């Protein structure tokens, strides 16, 4: 039988969000989702070597959870094995919806907006019952487009992502991303706007030297403030010590964790290679509030990632191979396969704080000289929703 060249284009928006688990308490579900996202992050970092990376673990898990529903046979088994959960497992959907509600709840104060979407070729005959099943699991409707009108289809999807990321991601799908053979595009878009609980005074931002991993230095703009921070030290199995510091956003439910090796010559990979959700929870649970002088670079990162190799390295190979891919969970009309797996993420970190200023006056005793935490070397950052343990964004800054 002649193989149809119809393709699936898997696309991930801004800082994409996920939140999948098993029929378990939502905290464990968030850990499963985060752990899978961290595995993909580790693969991405290995491929980028000493480059800057910004990534959304939650996002990649969200899109692949939707993709699970469209697959069958070995393709589905590979997704289950890599992700460690099944989207159709009993009790999964309520757990995910509750996790979503907690992320979107107004009590977070910091602005989080996320959406999942599935764009399907208008005349593609879907498996009976697929549309109601998809809505039951994801509470999202299927959007029908005509991919034979390539330019218009691309505009519709890019405009959708642009609107749901407040304009930060305006061109998710490039000119070559889809064509007349495209049959499905899965998208998740996440927008986050958080104000520091303890903003950095702009007057204390100065240029300082940043020590790159190759031994060279570069002058960068660094923020600084003296305050009481949640802080801990962590030692890797190899005996390398890391400073871990928490920067809360003003809603007190979301934090950025900053981690860097104590010694400049120790590679950041010594930490990223062992990172998982349990370790981040361990940091959070073992922190002490201490006076510190924090010096942190301002940074603005943008990553456009091809996730095919990272996903294949985790065992999800069949979905990329036309002769092996099984998407009979979606349609048995055409033989489909994944042509692209993309993620675009932007993040900007600066001095801006919150409209509330209640905690900006907390400083160390005038008689106590605070220890300095100077992030003048490569560091890891993790933006985490603490009540659920969900990691929204993370990355490595090798050169601000």
């Amino acid at each position: 039988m002649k193989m149809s060249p119809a393709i699936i284009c898997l696309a991930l928006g801004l800082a994409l969000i996920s939140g999948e688990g098993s029929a378990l308490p939502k905290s464990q579900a968030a850990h499963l989702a985060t752990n899978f996202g961290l595995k993909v992050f580790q693969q991405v970092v290995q491929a980028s070597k000493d480059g800057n990376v910004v990534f959304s673990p939650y996002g990649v898990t969200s899109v692949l959870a939707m993709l699970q529903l469209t697959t069958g046979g070995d393709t589905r088994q590979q997704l289950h094995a890599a992700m460690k959960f099944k989207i159709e497992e009993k009790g999964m959907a309520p757990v995910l919806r509750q996790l979503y509600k907690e992320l979107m709840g107004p009590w977070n104060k910091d602005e989080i907006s996320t959406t999942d979407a599935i764009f399907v070729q208008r005349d593609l005959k879907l498996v009976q019952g697929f549309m109601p099943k998809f809505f039951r699991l994801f509470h999202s409707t299927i959007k029908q487009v005509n991919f034979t009108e390539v330019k218009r289809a691309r505009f519709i999807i890019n405009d959708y992502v642009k609107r749901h990321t407040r304009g930060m991601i305006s061109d998710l799908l490039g000119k070559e991303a889809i064509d007349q053979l495209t049959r499905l595009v899965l998208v998740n878009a996440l927008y986050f706007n958080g104000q520091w609980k303890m903003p950095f005074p702009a007057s204390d931002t100065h240029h300082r030297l940043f020590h790159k991993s190759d031994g060279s230095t570069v002058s960068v703009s660094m923020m600084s403030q003296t305050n009481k921070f949640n802080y801990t030290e962590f030692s890797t199995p190899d005996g390398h010590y890391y400073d871990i510091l928490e920067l809360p956003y003003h809603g007190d439910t979301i934090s950025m964790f900053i981690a860097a090796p104590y010694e400049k010559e120790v590679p950041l990979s010594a930490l990223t290679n062992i990172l998982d959700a349990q370790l981040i929870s361990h940091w959070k649970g073992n922190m002490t509030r201490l006076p510190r002088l924090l010096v942190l670079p301002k940074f603005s990162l943008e990553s456009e990632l091809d996730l095919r190799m990272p996903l294949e390295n985790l065992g999800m190979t069949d979905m990329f191979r036309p002769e092996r891919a099984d998407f009979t969970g979606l349609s048995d009309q055409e033989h489909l396969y994944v042509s692209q797996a993309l993620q675009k993420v932007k993040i900007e970190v600066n001095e801006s704080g919150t409209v509330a200023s209640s905690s900006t006056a907390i400083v160390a005793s005038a008689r106590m000289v605070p220890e300095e935490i100077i992030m003048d070397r490569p560091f890891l950052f993790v933006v985490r929703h603490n009540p659920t343990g969900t990691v929204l964004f993370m990355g490595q800054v090798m050169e601000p």
Side-chain angles (χ1 to χ4, degrees):
M1 183 174 64
K2 185 178 179 180
M3 181 70 68
S4 167
I7 63 174
I8 289 179
C9 175
L10 170 62
L12 309 178
L14 164 66
L16 302 68
I17 128 169
S18 114
E20 318 307 332
S22 63
L24 300 167
K26 58 181 175 290
S27 60
Q28 289 180 283
H31 272 213
L32 286 171
T34 296
N35 276 334
F36 172 69
L38 290 178
K39 286 180 183 177
V40 181
F41 173 73
Q42 288 167 343
Q43 294 292 327
V44 169
V45 166
Q46 288 176 18
S48 71
K49 301 189 183 298
D50 290 333
N52 290 332
V53 173
V54 56
F55 179 76
S56 174
Y58 195 34
V60 70
T61 311
S62 180
V63 173
L64 288 174
M66 290 192 292
L67 191 68
Q68 272 193 25
L69 198 62
T70 69
T71 59
D74 290 344
T75 302
R76 176 174 288 197
Q77 291 302 316
Q78 289 179 357
L79 285 166
H80 290 168
M83 301 179 77
K84 307 298 184 188
F85 68 81
K86 301 176 182 179
I87 190 59
E88 294 185 81
E89 190 172 345
K90 185 178 179 180
M92 171 69 77
V95 169
L96 299 186
R97 287 197 291 272
Q98 181 60 35
L99 185 60
Y100 174 84
K101 288 178 181 178
E102 290 205 26
L103 290 174
M104 297 289 285
W107 50 83
N108 291 306
K109 295 186 180 178
D110 300 292
E111 185 181 1
I112 302 177
S113 173
T114 181
T115 182
D116 295 314
I118 179 171
F119 297 87
V120 178
Q121 172 62 28
R122 185 173 297 159
D123 57 2
L124 181 66
K125 186 177 179 181
L126 303 181
V127 170
Q128 187 175 2
F130 178 83
M131 292 180 74
K133 182 190 292 186
F134 185 85
F135 182 80
R136 176 173 55 84
L137 291 176
F138 296 101
H139 281 202
S140 178
T141 57
I142 293 174
K143 297 169 175 53
Q144 294 182 319
V145 295
N146 186 2
F147 286 107
T148 62
E149 298 177 2
V150 177
K151 189 174 181 179
R152 176 166 174 75
R154 180 172 165 264
F155 172 81
I156 290 172
I157 297 170
N158 281 346
D159 184 66
Y160 179 89
V161 171
K162 181 178 179 179
R163 285 187 284 111
H164 285 90
T165 60
R166 306 296 193 274
M168 288 188 71
I169 303 294
S170 59
D171 194 26
L172 173 67
L173 301 179
K175 291 183 178 180
E176 307 300 322
I178 63 175
D179 59 26
Q180 292 187 354
L181 296 178
T182 301
R183 295 295 179 265
L184 173 72
V185 174
L186 300 164
V187 171
N188 173 277
L190 170 69
Y191 175 81
F192 170 69
N193 185 357
Q195 304 288 326
W196 297 128
K197 183 175 182 179
M198 299 175 289
F200 292 82
S203 59
D204 290 340
T205 297
H206 303 288
H207 273 79
R208 300 177 62 134
L209 290 181
F210 185 92
H211 299 264
K212 296 167 61 176
S213 58
D214 62 4
S216 63
T217 59
V218 60
S219 179
V220 302
S221 185
M222 291 204 185
M223 311 176 292
S224 67
Q225 65 166 293
T226 299
N227 225 316
K228 286 186 177 179
F229 297 96
N230 283 338
Y231 169 83
T232 189
E233 289 184 346
F234 168 75
S235 176
T236 68
D238 295 333
H240 300 307
Y241 281 89
Y242 283 76
D243 293 314
I244 315 291
L245 186 135
E246 179 183 10
L247 284 173
Y249 293 96
H250 83 291
D252 273 331
T253 57
I254 300 173
S255 299
M256 176 180 283
F257 294 86
I258 305 289
Y262 181 74
E263 298 171 315
K264 291 183 176 65
E265 61 271 17
V266 174
L268 195 58
S269 59
L271 178 59
T272 56
N273 287 344
I274 62 170
L275 200 60
D276 59 21
Q278 186 175 0
L279 179 56
I280 298 172
S281 294
H282 177 77
W283 295 348
K284 176 64 177 173
N286 289 275
M287 287 187 149
T288 304
R289 195 167 177 80
L290 297 171
R292 290 290 186 269
L293 166 63
L294 172 63
V295 179
L296 179 69
K298 294 171 64 172
F299 61 93
S300 179
L301 303 183
E302 179 175 354
S303 287
E304 182 172 342
L305 304 170
D306 181 346
L307 297 180
R308 174 168 179 163
M309 186 171 292
L311 296 178
E312 286 187 327
N313 288 344
L314 293 174
M316 292 168 281
T317 56
D318 283 6
M319 65 183 186
F320 293 105
R321 288 165 168 73
E323 72 280 4
R324 296 190 61 85
D326 184 344
F327 285 93
T328 53
L330 174 72
S331 174
D332 53 14
Q333 181 181 2
E334 296 184 87
H335 294 278
L336 309 176
Y337 71 101
V338 174
S339 63
Q340 295 193 58
L342 312 170
Q343 188 182 74
K344 288 189 179 181
V345 188
K346 291 182 182 179
I347 191 169
E348 182 176 339
V349 175
N350 56 33
E351 299 94 344
S352 295
T354 174
V355 292
S357 59
S358 60
S359 63
T360 57
I362 299 177
V363 295
S365 167
R367 291 176 296 173
M368 181 178 181
V369 179
E371 293 186 34
E372 297 181 345
I373 303 295
I374 302 176
M375 293 296 171
D376 60 354
R377 56 205 183 280
F379 62 90
L380 174 79
F381 67 89
V382 176
V383 178
R384 179 180 188 261
H385 183 256
N386 292 317
T388 63
T390 302
V391 174
L392 302 176
F393 303 90
M394 65 186 305
Q396 65 178 20
V397 179
M398 307 302 287
E399 180 180 353

